[in-house]
Amino acid sequence: RGGLWRKVKEAQQRQERSLVQMEMAVRRFREQHPSVNMTSILSLPLPELSKKLRDGSLPPEHVFYAYVGKALQIATETNCITEYLQESETQLQKAKMTGKLGLLYGVPVSIKDSINCQGHDSTLGFIKNLNKPAAEDSVVVQVLRRQGAIPFVKTNVPQSLISYDCKNLIFGQTFNPLLYTRSPGGSSGGEGALVGGGGSILGFGTDVGGSLRFPAAFCGICALKPTGNRLSKKGIISGVLGQKAVVAAVGPMAKDVESLALGMRALLCEDMFNLDSTVPPLPFNEEVYSSTQPLRIGYYETDFFTMPSPAMRRAVRETKQLLEDAGHTLVPFELTNVDYVIFNFCVRGMFADGVTSFLKMFKGELEKSSMGLFFWLAKSPNWLKSVLSWIAKPFVPRFSDIVRSMRANTVDEVWSLHHEIEEFCYQFIAQWKKLNLDVMLCPMLGPALGIGYPGKLSVAVSYTMLYNALDFPAGVVPVTMVTDKDEEELKGYQGYFRDWWDRTLAKAFRGSVGLPVAVQCVALPWQEELCLRFMKEVETL
């Protein structure tokens, strides 16, 4: 145990040292260039900034140090940065030498902890992963570098990534930049906080149940979770390795949709297809993205599993109205059996091995804090899980379903699960095609929950995780803020099950006037450009 704590202390000192290095670098730069207007650089949207960098009207180091300074401020306020990539300063000098200007020439980018950067740990918040620097950059990071981007920090995650809060024993809790009593969301929570606070103009994270979408929604920014294999996942560490039922994806986070599109454009290039030949060589489709044809848009206000907060419902309603007024056609979409999808596909899919792989990661780690009951359940034998599930069924049906879906499956059971998910996906697409839809407008969980709440509310991933099971591209766009009227209506919130989870969620939503609320924009597999085009429309309106 002493050895473990020593490793933790070292990592924390490295984190402290990172912030000191950032501070010194910025101070050095300011002394040498006292007249540089950092504020005006920070106010430029990414498309404009990258244009100025490429045409030479803005020197890369001005931009770099402006963001290092701002990132330092946000890290001090929210604890979102785990490590400063000091070699970024060297890369900055190199970038100036090369003639070839990539799409992201001179743009500083932030990288989630679980995405490999050569020479740095990808901890996932586990002590056992400390002092194991990655041998090489993940493909995404390699491509970003080739496009001239400058990865400059790695950002915090919750232990194991299987959570939508952002806390671990090594680096501690990350806070929401908009309100420190709130969670920034997770598992790409450090990214959400840093980009949301303005300390990074473009970030990259991963999503297996909403891990890009929660932090974006909670921190009031945009994010895109592409189809699982649209961008390379080579060199990216996932929460449960080899798990195929619920599909993970890597994607961009930024303040606006145009920036996400630029991030996708930069990654979807020959370089990526060459570095990872398992990714389909589909370049970014400009025609689809820039089209102005009116869209046929499906929508729903609730999934009948997690009752939406008044602000979530209003966000969908108002967006629907604006889209209709702008000449698009809106069609109600009937969502059914979400409870079955969540328990039998998502929870059971993630933990089909009886939670063995997941538990293995926690072996030899210190304190399992918030996971007490979960660990006890996970470790119990199949017969006990079945008995508990049966006993709980009449009283707490959702608890019963979760326990049942944590049983160990035989291989043929896993295969039939995969088959069932496939069938469900075909069925969902058939319903979509029958209504002749282009895209879908869906609720997104919000406003940001209080710190500590996401860990108690795993069931509230229903709106996001559905699209990991289906493997559809899904993005979030902030559209409104919680009003006094929303807060008033929340008093009547009961939920669909009226169980402990519903009562807890009602509490978690409370006291949020002024916090952002987003909607989710969804398209069919491989239609990222259409998804972004729809997001852009929502953002504009």
Side-chain angles (χ1 to χ4, degrees), residues 228-241:
N229 210 29
R230 184 79 200 255
L231 297 176
S232 172
K233 288 181 276 194
K234 190 165 185 279
I236 295 176
I237 321 291
S238 66
V240 180
L241 297 168

Side-chain angles (χ1 to χ4, degrees), residues 78 80 164-167 173-177 179 181-186 188-194 213-220 253 448-451 454:
T78 65
C80 56
Y164 63 104
D165 205 341
C166 191
K167 169 185 188 222
Q173 173 80 48
T174 299
F175 303 93
N176 190 314
L179 187 60
T181 55
R182 297 292 147 134
S183 167
S188 314
E191 282 304 317
L194 187 59
R213 291 162 288 165
F214 283 116
F218 285 12
C219 298
M253 299 169 81
L449 307 186
I451 281 175

Side-chain angles (χ1 to χ4, degrees), residues 9 64 67 122 134 159 236 238 380 471:
K9 274 276 164 291
F64 181 80
Y67 273 100
S122 297
Q159 189 176 34
I236 295 176
S238 66
S380 45
D471 195 18

Side-chain angles (χ1 to χ4, degrees), residues 368-393:
K368 325 257 193 296
S369 57
S370 54
M371 317 275 279
L373 174 67
F374 178 82
F375 276 102
W376 184 84
L377 281 170
K379 285 184 176 138
S380 45
N382 268 13
W383 66 266
L384 185 55
K385 285 174 186 163
S386 302
V387 170
L388 284 168
S389 169
W390 182 77
I391 294 171
K393 191 85 189 150

Side-chain angles (χ1 to χ4, degrees), residues 18-57:
S18 277
L19 299 186
V20 173
Q21 284 166 351
M22 290 169 78
E23 191 180 3
M24 280 161 53
V26 173
R27 193 173 323 140
R28 249 194 331 267
F29 178 78
R30 284 221 169 105
E31 282 164 6
Q32 289 160 7
H33 306 80
S35 60
V36 174
N37 184 344
M38 302 279 194
T39 320
S40 70
I41 291 175
L42 294 171
S43 70
L44 292 171
L46 179 59
E48 263 180 75
L49 180 80
S50 64
K51 199 170 150 297
K52 283 185 151 57
L53 280 160
R54 289 168 52 123
D55 70 19
S57 58

